[in-house]
Amino acid sequence: MRFHRYRPRAWVPAVLVAVVSLTATALGTQAGAAASITPGIAAGVEDDGADCAVPDPSALTANSKLPDPFTRLNGTRISTKSDWRCRRAEIKKLAEKYVYGEKHAKPASVTGTVSNTNITVNVTDQGKSSSFSANVELPSGSGPFPAVVVVGGFGADTATIKASGAAVISYDPLAVGREGTPRNNKQGAYYSIYGSQSSTGVLMAWAWGVSRIIDVIEQSGGNILKADAMGVTGCSRYGKGAFAIGAFDQRIALTMPIESGTAGVPIFRGIPGESGSQPLSSAYSEQPWLGDAFGSFTGNPATLPLDTHEIVSMVAPRGLFIMENPHIDWLGAKSGSVAALGAAEVYKALGAASNITYWSDIQDGNHCAVRSEWKTPLQQNIQRFLLKTGNAPGTIRISGKKPGNLSEWRTWQTPTLTD
């Protein structure tokens, strides 16, 4: 089903029962604690852990609890903030192998143009070529401007984004990874190069496409758009895409998935027990969003060696604003809040707890609506992570309709990482 067309019925309550609200202080951050690690600043490269030696994972064993994000594949725990760099590389490898499929690194040739209205991208790799483009809308004022990639064209508050001083890049992900295709005949710019039978799912293909857009912006000289001040957002299926895009490219300074549902932010292990949420098998079969390998885990996610709280953690310590809708059971917001709380522990350990915001405290239950509750934190996140002014909001507001409890899901404790 194309869920982004869904609209909830009249039974959606107008008032939330309760709200769990945690500020950055409640998460354990103190003023200035993030100074030891560059907080929220995008890395200058797509993957700064590419040189880390990542061992092959051992045999898979069932674990009903969330895996410890601080424990390496060799069984030892990280002890310093700098250790996170290569621990993230391990999580990235697991996510590619078992969840999304491989994201090919920067191709042999990426060329293109950036104008006030358009970005063109031309890619050549492994002897094959493909092209795609994206539209650009600039805010008022004089550039160069930070920019937010809006995946799929709906659900994002583009008026607030532009009013905050950021450009909007309208990205059609279906040109890069088409939906409605069988897994053995995938289509789009990514698969034109890497093969229609590639085991990589379309979410990762979409992520690859945005990385190539950033390549072109980097090469353009920065007269119109700033490559070091990039954000990404999208809603529903495109929220799944925005999540993957931000997790797998460290040049993204601000990641903002909206109502991403199963195959997005919510923990895989929580979905089977969350009444009404889209089953893993449904999300896997509805579209080739996830990599082919994930099909082995739809019936028993406990055998996965990772979960989405760790994929969310791949964004750390960069800016992250997760928006969820607790009114629609299909979206699995309870499992989403657990993923956010688990990732917040990584942010806290890195001294960057104020860089993650999670917000499901909303009254309007319509899917992918522009909401007044999200406007101020959206402005704050853009100011902090793209304009590089102001303070990170660092707010966790969990609706009482779908409150997750991290303590029910973990057996590990958050370490104190040294500088």
Side-chain angles (χ1 to χ4, degrees), residues 200-261:
T200 296
V202 298
L203 295 180
M204 191 66 96
W206 297 353
W208 175 90
V210 171
S211 293
R212 307 295 66 89
I213 288 174
I214 298 174
D215 291 342
V216 171
I217 295 173
E218 284 181 331
Q219 297 165 17
S220 70
N223 295 322
I224 299 173
L225 301 176
K226 296 180 178 181
D228 64 347
M230 298 288 299
V232 63
T233 193
C235 190
S236 197
R237 69 215 312 106
Y238 304 132
K240 307 180 202 299
F243 173 45
I245 290 163
F248 286 90
D249 195 323
Q250 290 175 285
R251 295 172 297 181
I252 298 287
L254 177 59
T255 301
M256 299 183 288
I258 307 168
E259 302 183 41
S260 60

Side-chain angles (χ1 to χ4, degrees), residues 91-373:
I91 295 170
K92 176 179 179 289
K93 182 173 181 178
L94 293 176
E96 288 183 302
K97 183 170 183 178
Y98 297 109
V99 179
Y100 293 102
E102 180 185 4
K103 181 188 180 188
H104 283 268
K106 184 176 179 179
S109 172
V110 181
T111 62
T113 60
V114 177
S115 74
N116 291 349
T117 59
N118 187 257
I119 297 172
T120 63
V121 181
N122 307 300
V123 179
T124 300
D125 201 20
Q126 301 182 6
K128 298 180 179 179
S129 299
S130 64
S131 300
F132 58 96
S133 63
N135 293 329
V136 175
E137 298 175 64
L138 298 180
S140 59
S142 57
F145 299 101
V148 176
V149 176
V150 175
V151 183
F154 68 91
D157 187 353
T158 55
T160 296
I161 292 171
K162 289 192 290 184
S164 299
V168 169
I169 299 172
S170 298
Y171 171 56
D172 176 12
L174 304 184
V176 180
R178 194 171 302 157
E179 292 184 329
T181 60
R183 289 188 172 273
N184 62 358
N185 189 25
K186 300 184 181 83
Q187 302 294 315
Y190 180 88
Y191 302 102
S192 295
I193 294 177
Y194 301 113
S196 62
Q197 297 189 36
S198 167
S199 61
T200 296
V202 298
L203 295 180
M204 191 66 96
W206 297 353
W208 175 90
V210 171
S211 293
R212 307 295 66 89
I213 288 174
I214 298 174
D215 291 342
V216 171
I217 295 173
E218 284 181 331
Q219 297 165 17
S220 70
N223 295 322
I224 299 173
L225 301 176
K226 296 180 178 181
D228 64 347
M230 298 288 299
V232 63
T233 193
C235 190
S236 197
R237 69 215 312 106
Y238 304 132
K240 307 180 202 299
F243 173 45
I245 290 163
F248 286 90
D249 195 323
Q250 290 175 285
R251 295 172 297 181
I252 298 287
L254 177 59
T255 301
M256 299 183 288
I258 307 168
E259 302 183 41
S260 60
T262 305
V265 170
I267 57 170
F268 297 124
R269 283 166 170 80
I271 291 297
E274 183 169 349
S275 177
S277 61
Q278 183 177 18
L280 298 176
S281 58
S282 171
Y284 180 77
S285 61
E286 180 179 344
Q287 298 289 345
W289 292 322
L290 297 168
D292 294 357
F294 189 79
S296 300
F297 302 98
T298 57
N300 185 15
T303 57
L304 275 168
L306 81 164
D307 214 311
T308 60
H309 68 302
E310 292 171 291
I311 302 173
V312 177
S313 299
M314 287 174 60
V315 180
R318 293 171 289 134
L320 177 61
F321 179 22
I322 299 170
M323 291 160 271
E324 284 199 313
N325 184 349
H327 298 285
I328 301 175
D329 292 341
W330 191 254
L331 294 171
K334 181 177 181 180
S335 296
S337 69
V338 174
L341 291 169
E345 295 300 304
V346 174
Y347 273 84
K348 179 174 72 174
L350 294 175
S354 61
N355 290 1
I356 179 172
T357 292
Y358 175 92
W359 202 299
S360 62
D361 172 22
I362 58 171
Q363 295 189 28
D364 181 354
N366 286 309
H367 188 39
C368 293
V370 173
R371 309 180 196 284
S372 59
E373 296 96 334

